[in-house]
Amino acid sequence: MTTIEHEASRAVVKLPPGPRLPRAAQGALALTDRRIALQMLRRIYGSAFTIDLPIFGQLVVISDPNHMRQLFRAAPDVADTTDANLGRVMGSNSMFAMMGDRHRAQRKLLTPSFNGRRLAAYESIIEREALDEFALWPEHQTFATLPSMMRITLNVILRAVFGADGQEFERLREILPPGISLGSTLALVPVPQWDWGRWSPWGRFFQYRREYDAIVDRLIEKARADPGLRDRDDMLALMLQSRHENGSPMSRDEIADELITMLAAGHETTATTLAWAVERLQRHPQLLDRLVADIDTGSEDLLNATIFEVLRTRPVIDTTFRQVKAPTVQIGPWTLPEGTTIAASIGLLHSDEAVFHDAHRFDPDRFVSRRPHPAEWIPYGGGGRRCIGAAFATMEIRIVLRTLLRNHTISPSNARDEGRKSRAVALAPSRGAMVRVCRR
Ligand code: HEM
């Protein structure tokens, strides 16, 4: 671009309004309660505003469904993911780290793992894991369900995605959750990449990664030697048989980076959504009774609507980010210059009274006879980077909840709603979704 063109594009830049407080003061405000701070800013400035935060810098927050659609429809050379994301720690072959054509080609390669036939094959794995976990639940005492949900979704990913079993399964269960938790902090916080073994955060992370790589090598070796590889449904088996457009197979590094990406993206997110479902249902006893009766007839209509509503009212990823890659991008009346980080606020959109009637009410009936509108309901993001595991996650949530409600009775509760607590990746119920149950 010539200087004149650059000047021309600069001249039309028009950012949404926002607070004029110093960066540190805005950061302190965001730290108090991000959700309440964002809602306050929306009340003052409207659906788009500009804020300035420590670490992130200047951020344009949007939440109008039309603005969101414009952003998600933008080509990757106009707006794509930001550099500061999980891709920094998952490896350069992680889908999070890729952009443009490379990202598009990688999605094409991995999408068949999530098609209908494959998903159906995962249903029995999910049901078995859920039954095993729920069999351990104590009766008539209050306990937190999030740890259980975390175990179910971890085991499911290790079996359905990694194709892991035996020793590898056990060891991955031990090292991956703490490794990913540490990695997700390192992806955001600028800590120097010193490898001082367990004395430095990156050193600890590299230790996890080395052991993880060695286990993935063993899984790949075993899968290659498996005469039944072609009939296997796990994602690792599919990756080993897939071919890039030029006919080359996926490299070992690509496979290792993508497997851990699926785990980082799909484990905690699905578990926290399940925990929120439990947190919500016990506070809505009439709905709970109707839901159990509906499931007993073999219907899943109310169950599906409930899942939509849990994902609307408690989106566990409440913001997704893009960065402007073109000289400028037009979002509604705003012209944003290259490099601007745009925060698409899923939480603000889902709680907008102008979009959802009685938005703060938990009311699955709103989705019984009307599926959510794809521009208004975006718990899985949108466009070319929409969650690749969305169908997998929704199916898993459906099977786990159905199994739970068929086998246990959840006691109604009039306890205060649980707050939102930021974990490694997702926003979870602050007390871990406490519940009291008995067997049916
Ligand atoms: C309730 C569960 C889940 C929620 C709420 C969720 C939500 C999201 C969101 C909001 C994004 C960003 C989309 C965007 O920027 O437009 C995303 C991306 C992604 N998710 Fe999920 N996710 C869930 C489960 C899963 C599962 C089970 C998997 C895989 C097994 C998965 C794999 C991914 C991947 C690989 C990406 C990056 C896609 C890309 O950059 O192209 N997610 N997810």
Side-chain angles (χ1 to χ4, degrees):
M1 190 165 59
T2 66
T3 319
I4 295 171
E5 278 172 323
H6 200 80
E7 288 306 317
S9 60
R10 276 212 181 138
V12 295
V13 162
K14 193 174 162 206
L15 295 180
R20 289 173 191 275
L21 297 170
R23 178 177 285 189
Q26 296 195 37
L29 190 68
L31 279 181
T32 49
D33 185 328
R34 189 173 68 198
R35 205 171 53 92
I36 291 180
L38 287 173
Q39 282 181 347
M40 190 182 81
L41 290 169
R42 175 172 60 185
R43 268 198 302 278
I44 301 173
Y45 299 104
S47 71
F49 47 87
T50 306
I51 51 178
D52 196 10
L53 295 179
I55 299 182
F56 287 98
Q58 205 171 50
L59 271 185
V60 170
V61 181
I62 61 168
S63 60
D64 179 288
N66 293 318
H67 297 171
M68 295 283 210
R69 196 165 22 194
Q70 260 179 304
L71 179 67
F72 290 145
R73 282 189 180 166
D77 55 356
V78 174
D80 206 338
T81 188
T82 57
D83 299 328
N85 67 34
L86 276 175
R88 258 193 198 164
V89 289
M90 298 297 144
S92 59
N93 298 290
S94 160
M95 208 182 287
F96 284 127
M98 292 181 194
M99 298 202 198
D101 290 343
R102 192 164 169 243
H103 170 257
R104 210 173 355 216
Q106 189 77 351
R107 275 190 75 115
K108 212 170 141 197
L109 201 66
L110 297 183
T111 299
S113 298
F114 298 102
N115 77 19
R117 192 185 64 78
R118 298 258 159 194
L119 292 190
Y122 302 143
E123 289 193 11
S124 56
I125 297 179
I126 296 168
E127 190 166 11
R128 202 181 61 226
E129 289 297 339
L131 281 171
D132 287 354
E133 182 67 35
F134 295 149
L136 305 173
W137 275 15
E139 287 190 275
H140 310 297
Q141 45 177 291
T142 308
F143 64 98
T145 48
L146 183 57
S148 273
M149 300 308 186
M150 291 288 282
R151 280 191 289 274
I152 294 173
T153 61
L154 177 61
N155 292 358
V156 166
I157 292 200
L158 290 180
R159 295 197 196 286
V161 174
F162 285 68
D165 217 338
Q167 268 182 359
E168 287 82 18
F169 175 83
E170 293 303 334
R171 192 60 192 144
L172 286 172
R173 268 170 55 101
E174 282 165 22
I175 64 165
L176 282 175
I180 284 173
S181 178
L182 176 60
S184 60
T185 309
L186 294 176
L188 279 183
V189 184
V191 181
Q193 279 205 14
W194 292 321
D195 186 354
W196 292 343
R198 63 196 175 91
W199 303 108
S200 62
W202 275 101
R204 281 205 307 282
F205 182 73
F206 291 138
Q207 276 179 349
Y208 281 124
R209 179 71 203 212
R210 279 191 290 271
E211 185 171 1
Y212 165 77
D213 281 329
I215 298 175
V216 169
D217 284 343
R218 288 210 297 279
L219 287 175
I220 293 179
E221 220 173 279
K222 277 186 170 178
R224 287 211 171 107
D226 183 352
L229 180 68
R230 291 179 81 83
D231 300 321
R232 277 174 44 172
D233 286 305
D234 56 87
M235 209 167 157
L236 170 66
L238 198 89
M239 285 182 182
L240 285 170
Q241 297 168 80
S242 66
R243 292 291 174 268
H244 291 288
E245 273 168 10
N246 66 7
S248 63
M250 281 182 84
S251 69
R252 177 235 162 265
D253 288 355
E254 269 181 289
I255 292 177
D257 288 359
E258 288 301 21
L259 287 177
I260 199 166
T261 296
M262 295 303 152
L263 194 122
H267 164 218
E268 192 181 290
T269 45
T270 313
T272 44
T273 305
L274 279 162
W276 277 120
V278 172
E279 191 272 353
R280 292 289 76 202
L281 284 171
Q282 62 189 296
R283 288 167 175 79
H284 297 82
Q286 285 175 356
L287 166 73
L288 185 55
D289 288 349
R290 280 174 53 214
L291 182 57
V292 172
D294 201 46
I295 288 174
D296 285 350
T297 67
S299 161
E300 292 191 334
D301 293 346
L302 190 53
L303 179 58
N304 288 329
T306 302
I307 295 169
F308 291 146
E309 184 68 342
V310 171
L311 285 163
R312 182 187 74 81
T313 52
R314 296 294 187 275
V316 294
I317 307 283
D318 71 344
T319 312
T320 185
F321 297 90
R322 298 287 188 273
Q323 196 162 42
V324 179
K325 308 286 177 188
T328 58
V329 70
Q330 190 72 27
I331 302 284
W334 317 112
T335 308
L336 314 180
E338 185 169 355
T340 308
T341 304
I342 306 175
S345 177
I346 299 169
L348 279 183
L349 167 56
H350 285 185
S351 61
D352 190 343
E353 291 289 336
V355 179
F356 292 99
H357 174 68
D358 229 349
H360 290 278
R361 217 170 114 216
F362 180 71
D363 177 17
D365 282 303
R366 71 174 86 231
F367 293 130
V368 167
S369 51
R370 173 188 164 265
R371 284 180 72 85
H373 191 290
E376 297 169 353
W377 182 87
I378 54 161
Y380 295 113
R385 299 201 81 102
R386 183 176 189 266
C387 175
I388 197 172
F392 182 101
T394 308
M395 178 269 298
E396 182 170 1
I397 295 165
R398 181 170 50 80
I399 307 279
V400 174
L401 284 183
R402 189 182 70 192
T403 309
L404 169 58
L405 296 173
R406 274 184 185 160
N407 291 281
H408 283 81
T409 300
I410 294 182
S411 305
S413 165
N414 53 14
R416 278 180 54 191
D417 292 359
E418 293 196 25
R420 293 160 168 90
K421 187 175 165 203
S422 202
R423 287 178 53 101
V425 177
L427 285 175
S430 55
R431 282 177 284 132
M434 301 297 288
V435 78
R436 180 186 278 259
V437 297
C438 61
R439 278 179 238 297
R440 282 184 78 187

